[in-house]
Amino acid sequence: MLKNGEFVKIEYDAIDENGNLFDSTRGEIAKALHKKEGPLLVVVGKHRLIKGLDIAIRSMSRGEETEFEFNEANAFGKRSKEYTKIMRMEDFARYNVAPQPGLTVHLDTEQGRIYGTIKSVSGGRVLVDFNHPLAGQKVRYKVKITEVITSPEDRLRAIGEDIGIVSSVSLKDGTAMFEIEKDDAFEEKKAVIMVMTKSFMPEIKKIEVKETKAVSK
């Protein structure tokens, strides 16, 4: 049984109730959604998966491949009128956005950023649906656990690989050391590394992120 905080890499295909593939770790959909193909890093209990899948993979082991079906409560939730908002045209004009049906927009809330789809535009009012596009649906996941990562060093290395911006990772005397190539986005990249490491490995008390010179290609 996998427990909270365990690191695993998984491959999966996610299919909606109409038989459409909406997420995957392979092909063009993986490149579009995850910026890469191949297994994804998951830390059990850290909410990188829908509720049902996070619970289901706990009974799996390395190399096992299984298919699960989840109802709306364990997938993307029920559709709710509370997540449908009427907004003013002025709210969009201030950001130079011309609202039109089908356009995806977002709001920043205390709970984080939420995305919605414009459903209609009429009389100076814009109807936006902030329900998840798959809310109210059953979904299926075909899942395989490709790796279970146990040592602290390998877990740090997996975080670096998942971020995709790390040149090297090491752990010495309780300090996690990341090196990333020097560029104008260093502080932003550093912040991502710090947040992920603190969230996934709270036992690591000290984290250092250093710049290294870009490698000539």
Side-chain angles (χ1 to χ4, degrees):
M1 293 286 291
L2 297 174
K3 300 177 182 178
N4 279 346
E6 291 207 65
F7 281 50
V8 298
K9 287 190 176 182
I10 66 173
E11 295 175 342
Y12 64 82
D13 288 327
I15 303 159
D16 67 20
E17 62 184 20
N18 296 313
N20 300 311
L21 184 72
F22 67 86
D23 195 358
S24 180
T25 54
R26 58 188 175 86
E28 293 303 316
I29 192 168
K31 295 176 186 178
L33 294 177
H34 310 294
K35 311 303 180 187
K36 63 180 180 180
E37 287 188 90
L40 292 181
L41 174 65
V42 169
V43 181
V44 179
K46 290 296 182 179
H47 312 297
R48 299 195 93 187
L49 302 173
I50 61 170
K51 177 182 177 181
L53 186 56
D54 184 78
I55 294 171
I57 65 168
R58 296 167 193 243
S59 63
M60 298 178 65
S61 56
R62 180 180 178 180
E64 183 177 353
E65 191 167 1
T66 311
E67 183 171 334
F68 302 102
E69 181 173 279
F70 305 110
N71 60 24
E72 57 189 26
N74 288 305
F76 297 97
K78 297 181 179 180
R79 293 193 63 79
S80 172
K81 292 181 179 179
E82 294 180 7
Y83 293 115
T84 301
K85 292 180 64 70
I86 295 177
M87 303 179 68
R88 300 175 304 168
M89 291 285 286
E90 291 87 341
D91 296 328
F92 296 88
R94 73 178 67 171
Y95 297 107
N96 295 317
V97 174
Q100 55 185 321
L103 183 69
T104 298
V105 296
H106 71 259
L107 283 180
D108 290 316
T109 71
E110 293 182 356
Q111 291 73 41
R113 178 168 292 185
I114 58 173
Y115 291 85
T117 302
I118 294 177
K119 307 302 288 185
S120 65
V121 180
S122 178
R125 294 185 176 187
V126 182
L127 180 64
V128 186
D129 185 357
F130 287 99
N131 283 285
H132 190 281
L134 293 170
Q137 287 198 35
K138 292 181 181 179
V139 295
R140 288 186 294 120
Y141 279 77
K142 298 177 180 178
V143 186
K144 180 179 181 179
I145 293 185
T146 62
E147 189 176 356
V148 178
I149 306 167
T150 56
S151 76
E153 293 86 353
D154 288 341
R155 289 182 172 187
L156 285 170
R157 199 167 293 114
I159 291 174
E161 292 172 355
D162 185 71
I163 297 171
I165 57 176
V166 176
S167 298
S168 68
V169 185
S170 62
L171 179 64
K172 185 177 181 180
D173 299 328
T175 298
M177 173 68 72
F178 294 85
E179 291 188 358
I180 60 177
E181 291 186 1
K182 184 176 181 179
D183 63 16
D184 294 337
F186 173 75
E187 291 300 327
E188 181 180 346
K189 293 177 180 178
K190 179 180 178 179
V192 172
I193 292 170
M194 299 288 282
V195 168
M196 286 188 67
T197 306
K198 288 178 180 179
S199 175
F200 292 168
M201 299 184 69
E203 69 275 17
I204 300 294
K205 301 306 179 185
K206 188 175 181 181
I207 306 166
E208 294 184 5
V209 183
K210 294 185 176 181
E211 292 179 317
T212 185
K213 291 183 179 180
V215 178
S216 298
K217 296 182 180 180

